[in-house]
Amino acid sequence: MTDHITQAAITTFHTNLLFLQENHPALFEKISSLNLAIEKGYHSERYSLEYTEAGYFDVLETETGRWLYGTDSRKHAELAAKSIDFTKEGNLFETFYNIDISKEASETISKQDISQSSMAGSASLIYYANTYASKKNTTMKKLYKFIFLGTGLGLHITEIHKKLHSYVYLIIEDDLELFRLSLFVTDYRRIAEEAIVIFSVFEDDATFDHSLKQFFEEFFFYNHYLKYFNILSHSDQKLRTIQHFIARQNHLVFNYAPLITSTLRPLEHLRNGYRFFNFNTFDPNKCSIGDKPALLLAAGPSFQKQIPWLQKNHDKFIIIAVPPLLSKLEELGIKPDIITHLDGFDPALLHIQKIKDFSFFDTTICLFGSFTQPRLANYFKKENIYFIEGTSAYKEGFGRLTSSNIGSYSLALMLLLQIKSIYLLGLDFALDQESGHTHSDTHSYSAKKELKESTEIGETVVFAETVIKIRGNFADEVFTTLVYDDMRRDCNNIIQVLKTADSHIYNFSDGAYIDETIPTDIHDATTSSYHILDKEAFFTELKTSLDSSSEYYLKPSEITALEHRIRYCNALISILDTHLHTPHPTLDHFHYNLLTMFRNLLAESGDEDIAHILLLYFQYVSGYLFDLINTKEIDSTKKMIKHINKAIIPQMKRIVEYIRDTLEKYRKFEAERKSGED
């Protein structure tokens, strides 16, 4: 390498190090540690940066003598840039559900209840986008966000940036040593002066998830189609991980429509006079629950296999059970001490309706999430039911508890009740490794999957159907689905936040490994020393303790907060009306005005729960919105602007007005109730 080339490379390297130190300190520390290891002789370099006689940089793998490029790396970079096109196919991720809908269907669906159907607020827009911005015959004006899988020497990153001038880049490289060499050749600082650059270099799964989250949140309204360039030497695994991340997006899994219901439903329970439990003031010492062993029964495949053991040992544990198991437990004569429930949808009633005699549960405590379907609560004794707020915060200082699944939710409750010895059975988060079944036979929606890992890399991924392998509780690996893996992640997060040093979680389930739990063979468990519990006495103790930490209705200060939410809704409606009356002389003006309107909605101080509903709605529809705006072939922009405003703004107003009117109804109910008491 000639002297001036060497000096230029060293200068670029130090410029990059300074840039990383100031802007990406964690990555800087990785590079610094590698530099030190190389200098001290602790690490033998696997690669050598070479400047060839032909006048270009290449990387030599020292052990094999293979070249990374084997051709002019500058020409490789130019060809990479030329390969990037603006079509809506090829080397891209779709981050939305590709829904085919007719004009007639869109008109019918748009009239549905905004809180019952996510499509009610988006059908008209989706039909319009499918018609005028079809992926098959239209192209994008700009690629606002772009993903690089593998850096090589980074020359292609520079060339592609010159072509795209994207707003956000995600740069992924699994090989830290190779990325270090790119610092000699590619000036990342210069790219970062013009765009947001997110590095994912030598990251574990959890850290990579964080980087993906950051990338997807930056300018999220441009996520509709995300193009990428995958350098041939880089593994495809990250492509699959990105697909899985896309499938788990909140606005697709639990979107704005159920969130509306979840946020407002506690008011219905309060109006019906149910108790709301404040776990922040609960004292476990008043009922000695913390010192008793507790067994959580969930509806995973492992439950079915251990029924004989359960019949022999159930009376030694406080039994916490989920609704899909109740009819089976009734049949076995095993009365749960606590029933947990979370699901707010009608199909959950199918499990309850299998029960033959509800008096069997007359001395069972019901700890229900406030999203619970009111008709389900009616099956149980009202005085035994305690609701816990989740996505809402009407009761001051009560705390909130949410989860993606009832198993994790139940475990969270056990930790909040400060139970020290927790046992898990049926909390598999995995398929049955012999049959492929998703649940025990007791579950109404048990299905069967093929025990084969999904390895295809495509533009879309089906969240419920994709099968992957993860670490097992007893086995090295087990088959599971993206849905279950997402539940497992949720469970891990709950444990990380709520578990204390004096609590121990023993997992009997033959499924996925759960962090900070102890894999325990059910037949080797030292439960023989446990004595039979006095369940009737426990019920009385626990109920008395729960009653002392529960409240009915709303206090005056909570009514004041409710009135503040109503005023907040009116302010949001005013912002939406302002946008409707704002002139949009050009498409660029409309683009800017849409973003301004949304920023104003989120900037309005009032209620984070309502703001989150609007955020999920905007995430749900923004891809279609900005894909239309970014579609090159649309000529009639005035017509498009008119349709978008007609399709979206009234729907957002419907959402806010529905919330406001529901809040107002409860405020009036409380006023009448107080008047009746006086």
Side-chain angles (χ1 to χ4, degrees):
M1 199 183 298
T2 60
D3 289 343
H4 76 279
I5 294 294
T6 300
Q7 188 55 51
I10 293 172
T11 299
T12 300
F13 181 75
H14 287 294
T15 298
N16 276 322
L17 284 183
L18 183 60
F19 161 68
L20 294 177
Q21 185 177 26
E22 293 175 349
N23 300 279
H24 303 274
L27 179 54
F28 172 77
E29 289 299 326
K30 291 180 184 179
I31 298 296
S32 297
S33 297
L34 179 58
N35 284 337
L36 182 61
I38 292 171
E39 291 171 9
K40 297 291 185 181
Y42 302 144
H43 177 79
S44 298
E45 293 181 82
R46 293 180 294 117
Y47 306 113
S48 173
L49 179 63
E50 304 288 339
Y51 190 73
T52 68
E53 293 180 357
Y56 64 85
F57 282 103
D58 205 338
V59 176
L60 180 67
E61 190 173 20
T62 53
E63 185 174 328
T64 64
R66 289 196 297 254
W67 294 95
L68 179 65
Y69 291 97
T71 186
D72 191 328
S73 55
R74 297 166 303 181
K75 291 182 179 179
H76 174 274
E78 292 170 359
L79 289 172
K82 286 181 181 178
S83 74
I84 306 301
D85 60 39
F86 294 84
T87 65
K88 298 175 183 179
E89 296 180 307
N91 280 24
L92 97 168
F93 296 107
E94 294 179 356
T95 67
F96 57 97
Y97 289 140
N98 201 337
I99 302 167
D100 187 17
I101 186 170
S102 67
K103 183 177 181 180
E104 294 74 17
S106 72
E107 291 172 351
T108 300
I109 294 170
S110 296
K111 296 174 183 177
Q112 293 177 352
D113 189 328
I114 197 71
S115 69
Q116 299 300 312
S117 169
S118 58
M119 288 293 292
S122 58
S124 179
L125 175 68
I126 293 173
Y127 164 73
Y128 193 85
N130 288 349
T131 303
Y132 296 99
S134 169
K135 64 176 290 185
K136 295 181 180 179
N137 52 28
T138 64
T139 57
M140 295 177 277
K141 300 174 188 175
K142 183 176 180 63
L143 303 183
Y144 289 97
K145 304 175 72 170
F146 196 84
I147 300 172
F148 293 98
L149 289 112
T151 60
L153 288 176
L155 295 171
H156 69 290
I157 296 175
T158 300
E159 289 301 313
I160 290 173
H161 172 61
K162 287 179 183 177
K163 178 176 182 177
L164 300 183
H165 294 286
S166 297
Y167 290 0
V168 190
Y169 294 109
L170 174 62
I171 298 176
I172 301 168
E173 177 54 67
D174 294 333
D175 193 320
L176 181 61
E177 188 179 335
L178 186 57
F179 177 76
R180 175 181 173 273
L181 293 186
S182 78
L183 299 178
F184 288 94
V185 181
T186 298
D187 190 348
Y188 291 107
R189 173 193 53 81
R190 182 167 296 177
I191 297 172
E193 288 174 350
E194 300 176 0
I196 297 171
V197 178
I198 298 167
F199 291 100
S200 172
V201 178
F202 194 55
E203 291 186 329
D204 58 23
D205 291 344
T207 312
F208 183 53
D209 260 14
H210 178 76
S211 297
L212 285 177
K213 185 173 184 292
Q214 184 183 357
F215 175 72
F216 274 81
E217 287 180 349
E218 294 284 357
F219 293 92
F220 70 83
F221 29 84
Y222 299 133
N223 282 345
H224 202 63
Y225 294 113
L226 294 174
K227 287 227 164 188
Y228 62 85
F229 182 85
N230 188 18
I231 199 166
L232 292 178
S233 60
H234 197 273
S235 166
D236 287 342
Q237 180 56 45
K238 284 294 196 294
L239 284 172
R240 286 188 281 272
T241 304
I242 295 170
Q243 283 182 307
H244 299 169
F245 182 91
I246 289 170
R248 297 198 308 264
Q249 293 176 103
N250 282 343
H251 66 278
L252 297 181
V253 178
F254 191 80
N255 58 50
Y256 71 92
L259 186 59
I260 292 172
T261 303
S262 177
T263 301
L264 297 176
R265 185 160 280 167
L267 297 176
E268 187 171 354
H269 297 314
L270 285 165
R271 187 167 58 246
N272 291 331
Y274 283 101
R275 294 177 179 86
F276 272 64
F277 172 51
N278 183 0
F279 53 74
N280 287 332
T281 62
F282 176 75
D283 184 358
N285 296 319
K286 292 182 178 179
C287 63
S288 67
I289 187 173
D291 298 325
K292 293 180 171 63
L295 175 63
L296 169 59
L297 300 178
S302 293
F303 169 80
Q304 194 79 22
K305 298 177 181 179
Q306 302 301 342
I307 286 177
W309 178 91
L310 181 62
Q311 289 176 296
K312 294 178 182 178
N313 294 278
H314 69 90
D315 50 5
K316 300 175 183 177
F317 296 87
I318 300 301
I319 300 293
I320 294 93
V322 300
L325 301 181
L326 295 184
S327 61
K328 184 63 177 180
L329 293 176
E330 179 192 21
E331 175 189 323
L332 297 171
I334 300 173
K335 187 185 69 174
D337 303 286
I338 298 173
I339 297 171
T340 58
H341 186 66
L342 186 64
D343 195 340
F345 302 106
D346 287 345
L349 293 169
L350 292 177
H351 297 124
I352 301 299
Q353 290 164 349
K354 293 179 182 179
I355 296 170
K356 296 177 181 178
D357 182 6
F358 280 89
S359 66
F360 182 72
F361 303 100
D362 279 354
T363 54
T364 296
I365 297 296
C366 298
L367 296 178
F368 290 167
S370 58
F371 184 33
T372 294
Q373 168 64 254
R375 284 187 292 161
L376 186 143
N378 290 337
Y379 283 100
F380 299 94
K381 293 181 71 172
K382 185 175 182 179
E383 58 267 32
N384 293 348
I385 296 175
Y386 302 85
F387 284 107
I388 300 162
E389 285 206 78
T391 57
S392 63
Y394 298 110
K395 297 296 297 177
E396 295 174 350
F398 271 46
R400 300 198 278 182
L401 180 61
T402 60
S403 177
S404 62
N405 65 96
I406 186 57
S408 298
Y409 186 83
S410 302
L411 178 56
L413 285 173
M414 297 170 81
L415 292 169
L416 286 169
L417 293 173
Q418 300 178 46
I419 298 172
K420 295 182 179 64
S421 296
I422 297 172
Y423 295 82
L424 311 176
L425 178 58
L427 198 63
D428 292 62
F429 299 131
L431 303 172
D432 184 282
Q433 300 305 295
E434 296 176 358
S435 67
H437 280 109
T438 57
H439 300 85
S440 67
D441 293 345
T442 60
H443 201 288
S444 297
Y445 297 100
S446 181
K448 189 175 181 179
K449 307 287 184 186
E450 184 180 3
L451 294 174
K452 180 181 179 182
E453 190 171 16
S454 305
T455 57
E456 292 183 5
I457 299 173
E459 295 170 2
T460 60
V461 64
V462 181
F463 188 47
E465 299 299 326
T466 302
V467 175
I468 60 174
K469 283 183 178 180
I470 58 175
R471 177 183 173 184
N473 189 43
F474 298 122
D476 291 337
E477 290 183 322
V478 293
F479 289 103
T480 189
T481 64
L482 284 184
V483 173
Y484 284 156
D485 189 46
D486 204 43
M487 292 178 179
R488 179 190 61 85
R489 291 165 182 259
D490 192 17
C491 191
N492 288 341
N493 291 336
I494 284 171
I495 291 173
Q496 185 177 15
V497 173
L498 297 180
K499 185 180 180 296
T500 58
D502 61 349
S503 62
H504 300 86
I505 307 173
Y506 305 92
N507 192 358
F508 290 151
S509 308
D510 188 18
Y513 174 74
I514 303 170
D515 290 354
E516 297 189 52
T517 65
I518 304 167
T520 306
D521 188 313
I522 199 167
H523 299 294
D524 294 338
T526 56
T527 58
S528 58
S529 61
Y530 291 166
H531 58 81
I532 295 175
L533 301 178
D534 185 343
K535 298 298 190 79
E536 298 301 321
F538 172 75
F539 170 78
T540 302
E541 285 182 359
L542 180 58
K543 188 171 184 344
T544 300
S545 187
L546 291 172
D547 285 345
S548 66
S549 295
S550 301
E551 292 180 7
Y552 302 89
Y553 307 114
L554 295 182
K555 297 178 293 190
S557 60
E558 293 165 346
I559 293 296
T560 299
L562 193 76
E563 292 169 342
H564 177 71
R565 289 187 179 94
I566 293 170
R567 291 192 295 272
Y568 169 64
C569 288
N570 287 329
L572 296 178
I573 292 168
S574 177
I575 292 170
L576 292 167
D577 284 336
T578 298
H579 173 79
L580 278 177
H581 294 95
T582 298
H584 314 292
T586 67
L587 187 59
D588 286 341
H589 280 91
F590 180 63
H591 189 162
Y592 175 80
N593 290 340
L594 263 181
L595 295 176
T596 299
M597 176 201 70
F598 186 66
R599 280 194 294 266
N600 290 341
L601 288 171
L602 292 185
E604 185 70 28
S605 60
D607 182 82
E608 63 179 22
D609 302 324
I610 299 173
H612 187 53
I613 290 170
L614 288 179
L615 174 62
L616 285 186
Y617 176 79
F618 203 66
Q619 287 176 324
Y620 193 82
V621 302
S622 61
Y624 303 100
L625 276 173
F626 292 100
D627 182 48
L628 280 164
I629 292 171
N630 193 37
T631 294
K632 186 177 181 180
E633 287 76 13
I634 294 180
D635 297 323
S636 182
T637 56
K638 288 185 177 179
K639 181 180 178 181
M640 182 180 69
I641 290 170
K642 184 178 180 181
H643 184 89
I644 290 176
N645 269 342
K646 183 179 178 182
I648 294 303
I649 307 304
Q651 303 299 348
M652 296 183 79
K653 283 186 66 175
R654 281 178 70 195
I655 291 171
V656 179
E657 287 170 349
Y658 180 87
I659 295 170
R660 179 198 62 188
D661 293 348
T662 304
L663 296 173
E664 182 61 32
K665 285 178 183 177
Y666 186 81
R667 188 193 66 79
K668 290 180 179 178
F669 162 78
E670 279 288 2
E672 292 171 358
R673 188 179 67 82
K674 289 288 185 183
S675 177
E677 289 180 354
D678 296 339

